[in-house]
Amino acid sequence: MRNKRSKSLLVATSLTIAMTGILSACSKSTDTTDAPSTASASSKAPSPSSTTGFPIVTKPLTLKMLQRIAPNAGPSKDLLVWNEYEKKTGIKVNVEDVPTEGFTERKNLVFASNELPDFFFRAALTPLETLKYGTSGQLIPLEKLIDQYAPNFKALMAQFPEIKAGIMYPNGHIYSLPMIVTTKASLVPKLWLNQKWLDKLGLKQPQTTDELITVLKAFRDGDPNGNGKADEIPLSTQPSENKTKDNFSLVNFFAGSFGLDLQFDYRANIENGKVKLWSTDDRYKALLQFLNTLWKEKLIDREYFTQTNAQYIAKMTSGNMGEFSWGNNNPFAAIADQYVQGVPVKGPMGDQKFSVSDSITKVFGTFAITNVNKEPEATMRWIDYFYGQEGSTFIRYGVEGQTFNYDANGEAVYVDAIAKDPKPDAAACAKVSPYCGGAFPHWLNEKNDSLVNNQAVVDAQKVLDPYLPKVKYGVPLFDEATSKNVEMLRNDIDTYVREQSAKFIIGDLDFSKWDNYVATLKKMKNDELERMYQSVYDNLQSKK
């Protein structure tokens, strides 16, 4: 099974490389201006003892780290991984743990005051922030350090060219490192369908939008949970708790059924060499009309637009949803056998695709070194361990024989004391690893993802594989001026599209107003935004 799984990943990755490898052309630019002078690899003490091996330094070294932590994460000073890693490396890291809800404010403050840590960890730096603070000199360029002191990350870049494309700016610099994910099952959300309800009602999995409506109505009216109440939730998808962001999962999950893709991590199709932002496309209108039908028939979770992730997870664990989306089956592990992977339904124009997936540089800006760091070489070696097989397993699972062991397939699995804890994720996070909360700088791969992707999740991914786009372009890295323009336009456009789309879906805005909606987007310079994305695509094609 593992060999088959690896082959599936290799095929998918090769397809991605075939097109996205050209993104490395972004590293070429007539702008060769370096950022202001920063800490360098000059001789000073302490220094790396070698480019490989442990300890990293010949003399004790203390560094300051600022990191974002999840609500259920334990204090960094108590984590087994950090304490063990200090012994291994000779580097003591003083960590400032900042809760997620206050991290953006704290991050902005340290940059504004220039009271910087030596490095950021799980930093949630945006592409524009990274470029801004990199060109100002507060974040140092990393490409030379990677070349000399990061053999693991360098090897990943060689194996997956899209990594370099996703982190190197047009000025040729890399200012931050991402989380690297090479397990396809971790890049694609799943469509979990309640097979127990289908069996009880004598139904088959829906294959078209019309069949889906029939099935959802049966979920609504047929009392499949058997409690005599009309309390079933036919359909729901993961909410976007940040309502200002363009993360509209209800739209995204059905986009492929209407011929709509999500290229460049945006509402974008690429058709015959042309980039089309489809917010004004008639196919999008048809998608919204379909969702409006689902809403009017009370087939969509009535709390979709207002619920939090915590509320959504609670609904998953109840087993009272007919179809819903989530990346794995961990939250509903106790009833996981109730659900199977559904297929994307075929839309009215014959389209049957699944557009939602991430690039392998799944989380941008998780790690960065600042210009106050006197030992960037040692710091780069410190983080690089987590991009190798041994180190990436260590940071997720801890110490072999103490907190984890390898199974027959060579995958890391927690020992029973952790794995059988009523809340295994919380126990692991609070006592062992910074894993809790995700999105931290390391390599997630097939040998260390068992906590995330069990065999049922892997099998579910195989169901989706035939419906995925052959080519997936990640977030483009524009130059600073263009980035600011894109951000300015998208702030207004994305908010407007989201708000108006929600109104179309719930019926607060009649579809007779569609032309007004399109005209407003034109006034908001949606066409100009489309030309910016087109120029990125054209540049990539010219560098083939």
Side-chain angles (χ1 to χ4, degrees), residues 363-377:
V363 185
F364 185 89
T366 61
F367 170 86
I369 301 176
T370 73
N371 64 357
V372 303
N373 190 320
K374 303 303 181 183
E375 292 294 337
E377 305 91 345

Side-chain angles (χ1 to χ4, degrees), residues 190-458:
K190 312 300 181 294
L191 295 169
W192 298 107
L193 184 62
N194 199 320
Q195 186 66 48
K196 182 178 179 180
W197 286 8
L198 288 175
D199 292 341
K200 183 173 181 178
L201 298 171
L203 298 171
K204 295 181 179 180
Q205 284 197 32
Q207 300 294 316
T208 67
T209 49
D210 287 342
E211 290 178 7
L212 177 64
I213 291 174
T214 298
V215 166
L216 295 179
K217 285 182 177 179
F219 286 168
R220 180 194 65 191
D221 301 331
D223 191 28
N225 66 11
N227 68 355
K229 302 177 182 179
D231 59 352
E232 290 85 355
I233 301 171
L235 173 71
S236 192
T237 65
Q238 185 175 2
S240 171
E241 293 191 72
N242 187 341
K243 303 304 180 184
T244 65
K245 295 298 182 182
D246 187 45
N247 177 22
F248 204 169
S249 63
L250 188 60
V251 164
N252 294 348
F253 272 89
F254 288 103
S257 298
F258 289 80
L260 305 174
D261 205 351
L262 294 164
Q263 294 291 349
F264 297 117
D265 197 30
Y266 199 49
R267 301 181 301 272
N269 276 22
I270 301 174
E271 300 170 342
N272 300 318
K274 297 297 181 182
V275 176
K276 172 67 175 178
L277 302 187
W278 45 256
S279 299
T280 59
D281 196 298
D282 283 344
R283 291 172 292 184
Y284 186 44
K285 179 182 179 181
L287 169 56
L288 293 177
Q289 289 172 323
F290 166 71
L291 294 175
N292 173 249
T293 297
L294 298 185
W295 185 266
K296 287 189 299 185
E297 293 290 343
K298 298 183 178 180
L299 304 178
I300 297 173
D301 185 354
R302 309 313 278 180
E303 296 178 335
Y304 165 73
F305 291 102
T306 58
Q307 68 187 342
T308 65
N309 262 313
Q311 292 169 325
Y312 181 62
I313 291 172
K315 293 175 183 178
M316 273 190 269
T317 61
S318 73
N320 202 39
M321 290 198 288
E323 185 170 33
F324 62 91
S325 65
W326 195 258
N328 53 55
N329 60 11
N330 287 1
F332 55 100
I335 54 170
D337 58 354
Q338 183 173 328
Y339 292 93
V340 295
Q341 171 63 50
V343 299
V345 291
K346 183 180 293 186
M349 292 163 280
D351 298 290
Q352 192 173 16
K353 302 176 182 177
F354 192 66
S355 300
V356 187
S357 62
D358 291 311
S359 64
I360 69 172
T361 52
K362 184 174 182 178
V363 185
F364 185 89
T366 61
F367 170 86
I369 301 176
T370 73
N371 64 357
V372 303
N373 190 320
K374 303 303 181 183
E375 292 294 337
E377 305 91 345
T379 307
M380 180 57 71
R381 285 212 49 217
W382 184 92
I383 196 66
D384 183 60
Y385 183 57
F386 307 136
Y387 289 101
Q389 187 61 65
E390 180 180 286
S392 61
T393 299
F394 166 74
I395 197 170
R396 291 178 70 86
Y397 290 88
V399 179
E400 183 180 3
Q402 181 177 343
T403 56
F404 82 95
N405 291 301
Y406 289 101
D407 65 13
N409 294 317
E411 276 204 26
V413 293
Y414 280 114
V415 296
D416 286 350
I418 297 174
K420 294 183 179 180
D421 187 282
K423 296 181 179 180
D425 286 4
C429 293
K431 301 175 183 178
V432 179
S433 162
Y435 160 80
C436 187
F440 64 97
H442 76 301
W443 175 31
L444 179 62
N445 58 74
E446 290 190 335
K447 296 297 184 183
N448 61 29
D449 71 340
S450 64
L451 187 64
V452 179
N453 299 316
N454 54 47
Q455 193 58 52
V457 175
V458 174

